Amino acid sequence: MLGGLTEDLGELVSTGRLFEMKGIGKGLGSALTQAIMEGEWPSDWVELHNSTPQGLIEMLGIPGLGPKRIKLMNEELGVDSVASLKEAATDGLIAPMKGFGKKSQQRMLDGIELLARFRARRRLDVGLMYGEAFQSKIASIEGVIKAQLAGSARRRKETIGDLDVVVAVEDEHHENVAEAILSLPGIADVKGAGDSKISLILDTSIFDGGFTVGHIDPNVLDAIGGDDYEQLESGGTIDAQVRLVTPEVFPFTLAYFTGSKEHNIAMRQRAIDRGLKLNEFGLIPDAKAGDLKGMAAAKFSLKASTEEDIYRHLELDWVSPELREDTGEIVAAETSNLPQLLSGQDIRGALHNHTTLSDGEATLEEMADTARKMGWNWLGIADHSPTLKIANGASAEDLLEQGETIQRYNAAWAKEGTDFRLFHGVESDILEGGKLDHPDDVLSQLDYTVASVHALSKWKARDELQNTEELMQCIDHPSTTVLGHPTGRILQGRDGYEVDLFAVLEHMAEHNEEGRLKAVELNASPYRLDLDWRLCKHAKGLGVPVIINPDAHSIRGLADISYGVMAARKGWIEPHDVLNSLSGEELQRRLS
Ligand code: DGT
Ligand code: CA
Ligand code: CA
Ligand code: ZN
């Protein structure tokens, strides 16, 4: 609950408004006030906390489960941890208890499942939020020369297991820095603190400005816990491992802990082929180090002041971290064939965005205004179609009226010499038989159509063959321009439906070869990142244009484009592979 606060807690306490908040009674309110004002919790609270078994506190993380029922189950069934609760519920021991029942037993099981999912890995956006906050707190400690996030976060994987941070510090400051790290805010627990490695658990108190999840489109929210989602996310934690090394060793340690493991193995083999030993301490000629190990051997390492130097010693171009997955980057680096990766600056617009006409929070004007402020050259509006009732899908009449408004704006901008334009599209549901959700004569009046699957349960109940077939039929429709969020997956929420995307992309490639634009969306919402980065390279190889779309439901949602750019980079995408890099004028030509 406190994790979900949008106001400063100190402010709430000092004005006394804390007591007006929902769920804060006299007891909790006064305890919090004392904790904030005097820096410590009331002594009976501390005692209670210390005497309460860790397992019972852990159970509070299960959505919808409060202290009263935990206490009851503890007394009657001896349940004392999430694991033992799961066992009791699976054995059907909870349902017969007075005031519980079958439904609440099932809800507990669902809650345990959700909790486990949120504890295991975190989405990229959440992981980066923690990682960047932690990195900058470490960087500002006196004596720290450099602190850098490594691991899967630096490689921009779609989910993060744990954070890895590498810190450069001279030996004489080592101890002080290690101590200062251990006393940073946001540390829920210390798992281990050795000589050069510190293992921690971070929680949301690391965020100076509190932690909020922002607006989530209801379709997505449903898949990630619904009303319980905010509690799950803000009550979550993330593990972090910090390595302290001297500045001379730093580039080697950074490269090693950036990974991936597969990339490291390929690099190490390349070193072996050259009579060198590559590890987290250095790049050491066999002849010099002999049987020496670790730092003792590292004294003889070739020098590297940056990662570039390490790659150069191995006769390679520097490989951008996103590409370090051993999917061909080593050969490309050897032959100077690495891609010139897309960057945020290349983005001039995006096609799939919502307004208040369907389920967006912002008006057409507000969306256009924000896109212009972001330096974009154009913006596409694609509100939901009628079948999607939950997202307030717009009627044909309202859609065409929106089109007239857009034309008026475009005319006005052209007249005053403003180089910005809106494109008018729709996000059409894909219906039975691959049909679109508006009559052809309506669709033909639009600039483009994003065709997306939303009735996921229906598509999940069918087999791969039929789904693939229907997607292809939909793509064949002359009005279909973009295939939206191609699998429907929600990260940590649900898998997508079964589909042979290789076949679908090949089908799209045939259309493109014949001059009909069929683009595949890389949905940039960090909840989706769908098309998966692993398939971007395939789309690129086939010559199917990719369009990165924030699927924005608010002005803030437009900023999600950055996660799409990260995923695209990871998928080897260059500026000319995406429609986003075109000017409004060029795109207009491609769409007509
Ligand atoms: P994660 O945390 O599961 O999202 O993924 P990573 O890639 O951050 O993996 P992690 O945290 O286990 O280790 C960080 C990096 O350390 C990893 O990407 C490569 C390196 N590393 C870890 N274990 C090994 C290993 O057994 N062999 C090699 N060559 N490298 C390793
Ligand atoms: Ca990691
Ligand atoms: Ca790790
Ligand atoms: Zn959609």
Side-chain angles (χ1 to χ4, degrees):
M1 171 183 60
L2 291 172
L5 278 184
T6 47
E7 284 179 79
D8 181 45
L9 191 56
E11 176 96 15
L12 285 172
V13 166
S14 60
T15 56
R17 274 189 301 126
L18 178 68
F19 290 89
E20 295 161 19
M21 308 278 303
K22 198 176 129 204
I24 296 198
K26 220 171 168 188
L28 179 57
S30 354
L32 264 171
T33 305
Q34 181 178 336
I36 299 275
M37 306 299 272
E38 295 163 31
E40 55 189 72
W41 294 91
S43 57
D44 51 332
W45 275 57
V46 175
E47 228 164 79
L48 183 65
H49 185 268
N50 290 342
S51 65
T52 308
Q54 192 57 38
L56 297 189
I57 295 174
E58 185 194 19
M59 282 162 71
L60 277 170
I62 300 169
L65 201 54
K68 276 199 195 110
R69 295 208 293 169
I70 291 175
K71 187 158 174 271
L72 261 174
M73 292 187 295
N74 179 250
E75 285 165 359
E76 291 191 22
L77 300 171
V79 162
D80 59 1
S81 66
V82 173
S84 62
L85 172 62
K86 186 175 174 183
E87 206 180 304
T90 311
D91 292 347
L93 300 178
I94 307 286
M97 282 176 62
K98 200 162 158 247
F100 281 71
K102 267 212 163 108
K103 253 202 188 136
S104 97
Q105 177 172 282
Q106 187 54 45
R107 218 175 104 70
M108 278 179 216
L109 282 171
D110 294 346
I112 290 170
E113 214 262 314
L114 266 170
L115 183 68
R117 230 186 288 159
F118 278 84
R119 288 277 152 94
R121 299 186 72 82
R122 308 298 294 276
R123 283 191 327 272
L124 176 62
D125 59 325
V126 176
L128 279 180
M129 248 195 279
Y130 278 98
E132 279 159 11
F134 192 43
Q135 171 187 306
S136 80
K137 283 196 158 50
I138 295 177
S140 59
I141 292 172
E142 206 179 306
V144 168
I145 298 165
K146 212 186 278 178
Q148 194 169 339
L149 199 52
S152 51
R154 187 170 179 231
R155 298 198 318 280
R156 311 301 196 215
K157 276 276 290 279
E158 65 276 27
T159 61
I160 309 295
D162 68 2
L163 298 169
D164 304 273
V165 183
V166 184
V167 181
V169 51
E170 296 288 6
D171 279 335
E172 72 231 56
H173 299 302
H174 186 113
E175 220 168 297
N176 289 342
V177 168
E179 251 172 57
I181 290 174
L182 287 172
S183 58
L184 285 175
I187 298 175
D189 208 356
V190 178
K191 283 169 61 172
D195 203 25
S196 61
K197 176 175 152 180
I198 302 174
S199 297
L200 306 162
I201 302 177
L202 305 177
D203 65 24
T204 45
S205 57
I206 196 169
F207 301 112
D208 301 330
F211 178 86
T212 46
V213 294
H215 175 88
I216 305 163
D217 126 43
N219 227 316
V220 173
L221 190 62
D222 197 40
I224 49 174
D227 291 343
D228 296 325
Y229 169 66
E230 181 124 19
Q231 184 202 336
L232 282 163
E233 198 72 276
S234 59
T237 58
I238 193 164
D239 287 13
Q241 280 152 8
V242 186
R243 270 100 180 174
L244 302 173
V245 293
T246 59
E248 301 77 57
V249 174
F250 179 83
F252 296 102
T253 312
L254 177 64
Y256 182 86
F257 287 108
T258 296
S260 66
K261 192 174 163 189
E262 292 74 17
H263 178 83
N264 287 354
I265 290 170
M267 289 285 282
R268 190 181 309 150
Q269 186 56 48
R270 201 175 164 85
I272 290 170
D273 296 344
R274 285 163 177 70
L276 297 162
K277 189 173 168 199
L278 177 64
N279 58 29
E280 65 263 53
F281 305 113
L283 182 59
I284 307 136
D286 288 335
K288 290 206 179 147
D291 287 336
L292 293 175
K293 287 215 160 65
M295 283 303 290
K299 283 202 202 78
F300 301 100
S301 173
L302 302 182
K303 297 271 172 285
S305 53
T306 59
E307 275 186 348
E308 275 90 339
D309 293 336
I310 303 173
Y311 284 87
R312 195 171 318 125
H313 286 312
L314 296 174
E315 295 163 89
L316 295 170
D317 291 342
W318 176 76
V319 178
S320 191
E322 298 93 324
L323 300 182
R324 300 184 195 170
E325 299 289 346
D326 193 26
T327 56
E329 73 278 14
I330 306 258
V331 175
E334 185 175 44
T335 53
S336 290
N337 277 318
L338 283 167
Q340 300 294 313
L341 296 179
L342 178 77
S343 85
Q345 266 107 46
D346 298 314
I347 303 293
R348 311 198 65 186
L351 283 178
H352 176 181
N353 301 292
H354 299 273
T355 71
T356 45
L357 183 66
S358 62
D359 61 346
E361 276 188 336
T363 61
L364 183 63
E365 292 76 10
E366 290 166 331
M367 293 297 278
D369 203 43
T370 306
R372 284 178 62 185
K373 286 197 182 115
M374 287 165 74
W376 285 7
N377 186 236
W378 51 272
L379 182 74
I381 300 296
D383 273 307
H384 288 291
S385 63
T387 298
L388 204 62
K389 300 254 165 24
I390 146 170
N392 189 30
S395 68
E397 199 185 346
D398 291 346
L399 178 67
L400 294 178
E401 194 184 312
Q402 183 186 51
E404 282 164 26
T405 311
I406 285 178
Q407 275 178 24
R408 266 204 315 279
Y409 277 114
N410 283 342
W413 282 318
K415 201 168 158 206
E416 67 180 40
T418 301
D419 186 15
F420 182 85
R421 71 189 79 197
L422 288 168
F423 288 102
H424 189 219
V426 68
E427 181 182 18
S428 167
D429 247 43
I430 303 180
L431 308 178
E432 207 59 48
K435 291 205 174 56
L436 292 174
D437 198 12
H438 277 294
D440 292 355
D441 67 315
V442 172
L443 294 172
S444 62
Q445 295 181 56
L446 307 173
D447 293 318
Y448 64 97
T449 295
V450 178
S452 315
V453 168
H454 288 113
L456 224 66
S457 49
K458 201 180 92 195
W459 284 66
K460 281 187 123 172
R462 300 191 309 207
D463 65 9
E464 180 181 300
L465 211 64
Q466 193 181 355
N467 287 337
T468 305
E469 182 63 32
E470 294 217 353
L471 274 195
M472 288 189 188
Q473 280 168 349
C474 178
I475 284 157
D476 289 339
H477 192 293
S479 288
T480 302
T481 335
V482 175
L483 175 61
H485 43 71
T487 73
R489 78 169 179 194
I490 302 296
L491 294 168
Q492 297 195 292
R494 64 176 184 223
D495 294 335
Y497 52 84
E498 300 281 339
V499 60
D500 181 355
L501 271 187
F502 286 95
V504 172
L505 287 170
E506 269 161 37
H507 192 68
M508 293 174 82
E510 284 168 26
H511 278 287
N512 282 288
E513 273 162 33
E514 287 161 24
R516 290 181 296 275
L517 176 64
K518 304 285 177 185
V520 64
E521 172 175 280
L522 195 180
N523 192 293
S525 160
Y527 298 90
R528 294 186 183 270
L529 297 178
D530 178 19
L531 190 67
D532 190 284
W533 58 268
R534 296 160 188 86
L535 280 163
C536 285
K537 212 174 163 187
H538 189 63
K540 175 192 168 108
L542 286 167
V544 175
V546 173
I547 170 85
I548 305 171
N549 282 322
D551 196 353
H553 286 73
S554 63
I555 54 174
R556 195 173 130 175
L558 285 169
D560 280 352
I561 193 84
S562 64
Y563 300 110
V565 171
M566 290 176 199
R569 287 172 62 89
K570 197 159 183 57
W572 292 58
I573 294 294
E574 301 179 271
H576 60 84
D577 299 321
V578 294
L579 297 182
N580 309 75
S581 63
L582 299 177
S583 68
E585 206 178 327
E586 289 163 331
L587 182 61
Q588 185 116 49
R589 222 174 303 128
R590 292 288 293 276
L591 290 176
S592 57

